[in-house]
Amino acid sequence: MFRKPFLAALVLAQGLLAVPAAAQSAPPAQDGVGRLDSFNEELGLPYWAPGRGEVDHDALRRRSLAVLERQFGAFREASAGLAETASAHCAGTADAAEIKAALRDAWLAWAPLDSYQFGPVEQLGAALTVNFWPDKKDFVGRGLKALEALPPEDLADPATIAQGSAATQGLPAIERLLYTDMEACPAIVGISLYMEDLGGALYDAWFAENGWADLANAAGPDNPVYLSPEEFTKTLYTAVDFGLTRVAESRLGRPLGTFDRPFPDQAEAWRSGLSNEIILAQIHGLAEMVRLGFAGDVRETDRGWILEVFEQTEGRLAAIEQPISEAVQEPTSRVRVEAMQTKVRHLQLEMAKNLGPNLGVETGFSAADGD
């Protein structure tokens, strides 16, 4: 059951997503191509790919939506677990290690979703509220100071959190409360309950009746967003590219700064030491979309090569061998961070050369444009 802050937002979102009746009558998949009950054992894909040189955007959409449903479902469950553990911690029945582990789980579950800043994520403002970062002017710290002045019973209420700053509504705020000398309880209860609501609202805005998945499934001339199935493919491909841009320019580029002036405290989640794991989780999520969502319509040689470059990128991250916030401060380890950044950009170029043409799409406008 949604609490009041999200009920209105979800109703609005679903109203915007209502699919025209004419568009709902999309033709079923043909036997042997993108069948819902088929599975490609050889490639480990949910559906058989069409003939080489042919893109079945309907099958690609179904595969991709299956990936998204798992990823959004994982965040819904992790945010609910965080809320439950926060309440237990403030009641004295869960220790500090348990609440920090629950924060880690929620942050790593969110990391893949950071790439999909369109549709429900955009409409519900989730990218800003879940992870208010980068925070160049310390809005998180200032917002938490303002919360300290409120009565404890109000801090445990997600409605109070909903009325405050976006900087105090998500993961960075909880991290600050748990990893500094600030009083964590009961504010972490209200913030985590707010996030639990948001996790559920995001999942339903995507996958409930008349959600964004239904909109994507009904792509066609009468669709208010996707005039053809190819347009949804392009949106997803652009989102994957945007996710890699976020890794290269923000998660690595911001703490790198310059050789003479790195910015270690600009690394995401540096207080909790989660910076590297968040990057790995985002890359894993993007690789999952490529492997299970896109790759059934990609030539096997190109599919194998792109996934190999993903593995090489993860290897570069592992080679850093220390938190990003520490690595950028020493010349030897800084080189490894720069090598990781170069590899991510190389992966983007390889995707543009080998993956996009296979799918018949190029990147479109993304959340990174104009930043």
Side-chain angles (χ1 to χ4, degrees), residues 129-132 161 166-175 191 194-195:
T129 54
V130 173
N131 189 18
F132 194 92
I161 303 302
T168 62
Q169 294 172 347
L171 299 165
I174 296 177
E175 182 200 32
I191 297 170
Y194 179 89
M195 286 190 57

Side-chain angles (χ1 to χ4, degrees), residues 77 81 88 99 105 112 141 147 172 186 207 225 240 276 280 290:
E77 296 304 314
I99 183 59
D105 291 344
L147 284 182
F207 300 105
V225 178
V240 171
N276 302 47
L280 182 61
V290 171

